[in-house]
Amino acid sequence: MEIRNILQEMNTSLASRENAAKILIGRPRLIQDAVSLLNENETKLSIKALYCLEILARKDIDLLMDQLKHLTHYAKTSENSSANRCLAKIFSLATEKDSLAGKTSYLPSEIKESIMETSFSWLIREESIAVKVFSMQTLWDLRCENDWIAAELKAVLQNDFPGASAGYQSRARKILRKLNHEFSDKI
């Protein structure tokens, strides 16, 4: 079954997205084809591909490891909020796995750098709350990669906190507590 057929049959319900993702499991060529669709100008299929890839990442982020470079490249130019939400969740799952890996890094440094740049970009520009929340978590997970990440993340969150939505404030509060705890431990 071709990826276009799978995605055309898929709707936005969770059950439908999960069924499409199940078809892709164990079929790296279909996963690659889904990622390749992102470079085409078919927005509806691209969004459906990302919906499916996000579910795949939730099941096992390792299934997308070979495609992260392409996903980070696509994220740099994506202006679609739905696409960015899916990408932000995928990046959050990847960086969470990397941070849990400890000294053995899960992600290559160029992927981490690209995810970090994109996450900061999403955090400071006009984006949906979900994209910003996933970006906060991603940057928290990447804070040890460069000394300045934690300080910049803290500054952005403190600056945006007063006028932000309740969802933004809730996640920002949790991350700010962790950041403040880390900063006080270093003193």
Side-chain angles (χ1 to χ4, degrees):
M1 183 177 254
E2 184 180 274
I3 192 64
R4 288 177 183 278
N5 295 339
I6 295 167
L7 296 175
Q8 286 169 343
E9 290 177 16
M10 185 185 91
N11 62 44
T12 58
S13 73
L14 181 58
S16 181
R17 290 181 286 148
E18 286 178 340
N19 286 336
K22 283 179 187 175
I23 295 170
L24 272 62
I25 292 175
R27 299 176 73 185
R29 181 65 189 168
L30 285 179
I31 296 170
Q32 185 179 355
D33 290 346
V35 172
S36 295
L37 279 175
L38 302 179
N39 296 323
E40 297 180 16
N41 288 331
E42 295 184 50
T43 305
K44 285 185 180 183
L45 274 184
S46 294
I47 299 302
K48 283 184 166 189
L50 282 167
Y51 286 158
C52 185
L53 293 170
E54 178 191 346
I55 296 295
L56 205 58
R58 289 178 186 205
K59 291 185 180 302
D60 185 358
I61 188 63
D62 290 334
L63 296 170
L64 293 181
M65 189 60 187
D66 292 340
Q67 301 303 321
L68 283 175
K69 183 176 181 178
H70 301 292
L71 293 172
T72 58
H73 180 72
Y74 176 76
K76 289 183 182 202
T77 58
S78 174
E79 294 181 12
N80 183 293
S81 186
S82 294
N84 293 349
R85 191 204 57 75
C86 293
L87 290 163
K89 179 62 177 178
I90 291 167
F91 297 161
S92 179
L93 292 166
T95 57
E96 177 184 34
K97 180 158 185 171
D98 187 74
S99 71
L100 294 174
K103 293 181 180 179
T104 38
S105 186
Y106 172 75
L107 295 172
S109 58
E110 69 268 7
I111 298 292
K112 288 182 198 178
E113 183 75 22
S114 187
I115 290 173
M116 185 242 352
E117 288 173 10
T118 302
S119 295
F120 265 118
S121 175
W122 284 337
L123 196 56
I124 61 174
R125 74 179 194 200
E126 198 64 34
E127 272 297 343
S128 73
I129 298 306
V131 173
K132 288 180 179 279
V133 166
F134 291 136
S135 295
M136 283 181 219
Q137 187 61 49
T138 295
L139 292 166
W140 165 256
D141 290 337
L142 291 173
R143 74 194 180 285
C144 296
E145 293 300 311
N146 290 303
D147 294 338
W148 59 269
I149 293 176
E152 287 297 316
L153 177 58
K154 184 177 180 180
V156 170
L157 296 180
Q158 287 175 328
N159 184 58
D160 292 347
F161 191 87
S165 72
Y168 182 100
Q169 287 182 346
S170 175
R171 181 58 61 95
R173 190 177 297 112
K174 289 176 186 175
I175 292 176
L176 284 168
R177 271 192 222 121
K178 291 177 185 178
L179 288 168
N180 287 332
H181 181 72
E182 277 193 0
F183 282 125
S184 67
D185 286 348
K186 291 180 182 179
I187 295 175

